[in-house]
């Protein structure tokens, strides 16, 4: 101690006490400061660890199931169980303008604070005291994330305190970018949209990276009050909120005032998504079945959009013909992938627009005929030059109306299978099925292609050849795809899969011959002309079909690359007015197939298999010339046949001396028909001889008739005829005969018909009739 410094005893009592108290006070204040600092440190860094975070923070916000096109574009988005639509995004995907707008509106000091903004809290306390009510909460973006993850707990002081501690806890675990990314993906932007991506696509039909400054500001203003600021319901309020956000962006981030003013002048330009805008029936197929996240389909959005446009335009053109609905399938043949699927003419159409016509059973009409001939060719029971009798009275029905006829109500006598298929002759097709053994012999082949039947073969009878069994478009299209793949069936799919070789259902030779007929414009010219919608600028196999009373019409065709199947009609089964497969479904088919072009497989079709050979035949007999000549070209055509089963050679006995082809007794009625334009080329072999004896030509002795109740427009009557010019007296003990028309009414059983001539001679003909 300094000797000059007075001792306590020497000091005045008050001075000494002041020094002691000062020393004690400084030590206490220091301790208090240290203690307070320790409490702050513990409260700021330690106490938050005692408060657990919401468990849902560790569970990312689940995306809405999405259907994607093959190029990755979105075809449909389904709602989550909570009814929200959401696609999570990374922070890198969110544009800077949207981040700045959100921070300006919600938390301008987000990058500086540690989860609790003390300055904002002081301001909130001041504002609340002045207003004498809660007008500001001062929650940071991190606190809002905690609240979003926790649900919506009641706004109490305790909950606010817990929320603040949890925000501090989270800030010590996650970096700012992770917090910001999670926050964005949990924001409710109204209209059941969660996250900025779903909101941008819904309100503007734009991806995030194409949002304008004004659109970013609009989205940033929505989460505070999604309903009140919803631009679809409250556009004025939404604009007011947007402009407020823009002003905040200028203040907080110093954006160019002119840029801000331009953004304020930008109109809302809302384009809310129509959830059923593209492939709505496809969305129905996957609704409730798609897993979480995206599911990629085989749909090509460009082909889908083009096909939908073609359907709309054609239905508008045919509105006065009472054509209201259509269905379309476009298939990639090498893979079996469906590139386009249209279920109706308009999903919002009140007349069944939501029905999926691709899967609705309809009468396929003549579109089954190529499959009939393919089966017959495959079994070597027929070939393109095979002769079929297209004649009246061959097949009858029990309903008493007219005999079944072709589309033009004419008969063509002996025709090749090529002519019969290309020109869609009904009677010849039924003859072909009859030669195969009837419906029971053909149905297993159709079933192997994926077709399903509600009734046994006997129910359909020979009418199956002309489409009396209802089939969905997808089943018939899959069968045509088998023809396009040269007999290999590939199951149609809406989801990408590894290529498969397919399952052999048909020989390549049979499939090739059918395709050769269907892509032959000359062969079908008689019925369809040379310039119908079936004619394209490249080879294309195509077939139409029209059901009775014009209730359905079809057009299905293929190239090696694509199959296009079109159905046109009405779901309520009301008939259209005079629309055939060519005039109705045909134009839609033509436009879509023309757009597709010949495909990547090239403009040429596969070469004929080695199992086939080409030879010259007489198309009136189906027999081959031993040597092809340049003589009578009218009666010589080149045709494809099985190398192992060539047709019989031409013989002199097949012709009369004048060159007419001699026919058997089956053609007697057809030859005597006054409307027969081909009669001059033929003669009955028996009647052509000099002094031919009189006989009954209709019905022929030993003839067998089938009464098929399912043949459209059939009859149970035949006309009685002889080879004589004189009148005869007809009689039958078991069947009724109309006296004026000589019409014989058939019924099951064995019957003997008699014709009494003027000289007293009686001719007899015994026939057998059975019912299917």
């Amino acid at each position: 101690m300094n000797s000059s410094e007075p001792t306590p005893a020497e000091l005045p009592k008050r001075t000494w006490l002041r020094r002691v108290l000062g020393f004690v006070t400084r030590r206490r204040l220091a301790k208090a400061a240290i203690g307070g600092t320790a409490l702050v440190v513990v409260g700021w860094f330690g106490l938050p660890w005692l408060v657990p975070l919401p468990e849902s923070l560790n569970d990312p916000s689940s995306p809405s199931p999405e259907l994607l096109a093959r190029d990755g574009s979105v075809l449909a988005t389904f709602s989550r169980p909570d009814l929200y639509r959401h696609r999570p995004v990374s922070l890198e995907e969110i544009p800077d303008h949207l981040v700045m707008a959100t921070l300006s509106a919600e938390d301008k000091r987000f990058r500086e604070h540690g989860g609790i903004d003390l300055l904002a809290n002081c301001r909130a306390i001041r504002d609340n005291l002045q207003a004498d009510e809660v007008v500001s909460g001062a929650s940071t973006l991190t606190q809002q994330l905690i609240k979003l993850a926790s649900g919506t707990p009641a706004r109490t002081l305790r909950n606010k305190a817990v929320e603040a501690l949890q925000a501090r806890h989270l800030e010590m675990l996650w970096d700012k970018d992770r917090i910001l990314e999670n926050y964005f993906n949990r924001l409710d932007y109204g209209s059941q949209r969660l996250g900025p991506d779903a909101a941008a696509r819904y309100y503007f039909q734009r991806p995030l990276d194409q949002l304008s400054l004004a659109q970013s500001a609009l989205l940033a203003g929505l989460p505070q009050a999604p309903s009140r600021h919803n631009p679809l319901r409250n556009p004025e309020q939404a604009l007011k909120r947007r402009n407020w956000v823009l002003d905040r962006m200028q203040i907080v981030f110093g954006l160019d005032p002119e840029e801000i003013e331009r953004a304020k002048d930008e109109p809302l330009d809302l384009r809310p998504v129509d959830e059923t805008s593209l492939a709505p029936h496809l969305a129905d197929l996957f609704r409730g079945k798609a897993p979480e996240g995206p599911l990629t389909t085989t749909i090509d959005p460009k082909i889908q959009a083009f096909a939908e446009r073609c359907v709309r335009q054609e239905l508008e053109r045919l509105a006065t013909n009472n054509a209201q609905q259509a269905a379309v399938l476009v298939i990639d043949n090498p893979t079996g992938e469906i590139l386009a699927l249209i279920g109706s003419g308009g999903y919002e159409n009140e007349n069944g627009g939501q029905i999926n016509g691709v899967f609705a059973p309809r009468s396929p009409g003549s579109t089954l005929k190529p499959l009939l001939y393919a089966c017959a060719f495959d079994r070597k029971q027929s070939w393109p030059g095979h002769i079929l009798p297209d004649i009246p009275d061959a097949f009858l029905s029990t309903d008493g109306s007219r005999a079944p006829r072709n589309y033009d109500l004419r008969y063509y006598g002996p025709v090749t299978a090529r002519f019969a298929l290309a020109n869609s002759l009904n009677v010849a097709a039924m003859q072909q099925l009859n030669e195969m053994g009837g419906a029971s012999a053909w149905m297993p082949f159709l079933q192997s292609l994926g077709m399903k039947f509600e009734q046994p073969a006997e129910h359909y009878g020979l009418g199956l050849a002309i489409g009396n069994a209802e089939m969905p478009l997808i089943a018939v299209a899959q069968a045509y795809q088998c023809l396009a793949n040269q007999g290999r069936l590939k199951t149609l799919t809406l989801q990408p899969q590894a290529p498969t070789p397919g399952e052999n259902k048909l020989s390549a030779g049979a499939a090739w011959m059918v395709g050769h007929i269907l892509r032959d414009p000359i062969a079908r010219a008689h019925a369809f002309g040379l310039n119908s919608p079936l004619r394209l600028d490249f080879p294309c196999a195509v077939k139409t079909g029209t059901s009775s009373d014009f209730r359905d019409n079809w057009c299905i065709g293929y190239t090696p690359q694509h199959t296009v199947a079109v159905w046109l009609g009405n779901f309520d089964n009301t008939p259209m007015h005079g629309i055939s497969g060519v005039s109705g479904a045909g134009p839609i088919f033509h436009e879509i197939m023309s757009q597709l072009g010949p495909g990547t497989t090239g403009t040429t079709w596969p070469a004929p298999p080695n199992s086939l050979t080409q030879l010259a035949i007489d198309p009136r007999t189906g027999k081959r010339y031993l040597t092809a000549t340049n003589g009578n070209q009218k009666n010589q055509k080149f045709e494809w046949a099985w190398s192992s089963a060539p047709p019989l050679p031409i013989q002199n006995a097949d012709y009369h001396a004048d060159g007419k082809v001699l026919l058997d007794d089956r053609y007697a009625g057809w030859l005597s028909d006054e409307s027969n334009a081909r009669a001059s080329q033929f003669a009955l072999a028996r009647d052509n001889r000099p002094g031919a004896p009189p006989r009954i030509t209709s019905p022929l002795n030993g003839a067998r008739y089938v009464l098929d109740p399912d043949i459209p427009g059939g009859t149970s009557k035949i006309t009685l005829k002889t080879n004589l010019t004189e009148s005869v007296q007809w009689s039958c003990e078991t069947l009724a005969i109309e006296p004026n028309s000589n019409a014989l009414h058939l019924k099951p059983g064995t019957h003997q018909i008699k014709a009494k001539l003027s000289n007293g001679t009686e001719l007899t003909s015994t026939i057998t009739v059975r019912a299917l």
Side-chain angles (χ1 to χ4, degrees), residues 104-120:
S104 297
E106 301 295 338
D107 190 354
K108 67 178 181 180
R109 282 185 288 274
F110 170 71
R111 295 289 182 181
E112 288 78 39
H113 64 64
I116 303 173
D117 190 340
L118 298 178
L119 290 176

Side-chain angles (χ1 to χ4, degrees), residues 312-487:
R312 287 194 302 270
Q313 292 173 350
E314 182 65 4
L315 290 179
E316 288 175 3
R317 184 180 72 84
L318 298 175
T320 57
N321 298 85
N322 192 38
Q324 302 181 48
Q325 296 294 356
V328 175
L329 268 181
V330 179
I331 301 164
D332 181 75
N333 294 327
T335 62
E337 294 179 346
I338 296 174
L339 304 179
L341 184 152
I342 300 174
S344 70
Y347 195 77
E348 302 302 326
N349 189 307
E350 295 180 355
N351 189 19
Q354 297 183 22
I355 296 174
N356 193 335
V358 169
F359 295 91
R362 309 293 304 189
S363 174
S366 296
T367 57
L368 294 188
K369 290 175 183 174
L371 307 176
L372 168 66
Y373 288 95
C375 185
F377 293 174
D378 188 58
R379 297 174 184 178
K380 294 184 171 59
Q381 295 173 313
S382 185
W383 58 287
H386 176 62
I387 297 298
L388 294 165
D390 185 54
I391 55 179
D393 301 340
F395 306 102
L396 308 174
S397 178
T398 58
D399 65 1
S401 58
R402 69 182 188 278
R405 299 182 182 181
N406 296 313
Y407 186 76
D408 60 1
L409 305 181
R410 298 174 61 189
Y411 299 95
Y412 294 89
V415 295
T416 62
R418 176 181 292 272
F419 183 88
L421 174 57
N423 295 281
S424 199
L425 302 185
N426 290 334
V427 175
M430 291 158 55
Q431 290 278 12
Q432 182 69 83
L433 180 56
N434 190 48
E435 291 182 9
M436 285 175 55
S440 61
W442 183 35
M443 186 180 288
F445 171 71
L446 297 177
Q447 290 171 324
S448 74
L449 298 179
M451 295 186 179
K452 297 179 181 179
F453 296 86
E454 295 183 356
Q455 303 293 336
E458 294 75 15
H459 173 81
Y460 304 106
L462 298 178
L464 186 59
I466 53 179
N468 67 353
E470 292 188 339
M471 288 290 158
L473 184 68
I474 191 170
V476 185
Q478 179 171 272
Y480 272 64
Q481 174 246 65
C482 179
L483 294 175
N485 286 328
Q486 302 303 295

Side-chain angles (χ1 to χ4, degrees), residues 506-520:
L506 193 67
S507 64
W512 190 92
M513 287 189 287
V514 169
H516 191 261
I517 294 172
L518 295 181
R519 67 178 185 267
D520 183 353

Side-chain angles (χ1 to χ4, degrees), residues 7-72:
T7 65
E10 296 174 337
L11 291 172
K13 184 176 182 179
R14 186 174 297 175
T15 302
W16 177 83
L17 182 60
R18 186 183 299 114
R19 286 190 176 185
V20 172
L21 290 175
F23 176 75
V24 173
T25 300
R26 284 194 300 273
R27 292 194 61 176
R28 285 181 176 178
L29 288 174
K31 287 183 179 181
I34 293 172
T37 301
L39 286 174
V40 170
V41 171
V42 171
W44 188 253
F45 294 103
L47 185 59
W49 292 101
L50 301 179
V51 183
L53 294 173
E55 294 183 2
S56 61
L57 274 175
N58 297 317
D59 298 327
S61 185
S62 61
S64 302
E66 287 183 328
L67 280 187
L68 305 181
R70 63 193 304 115
D71 64 356

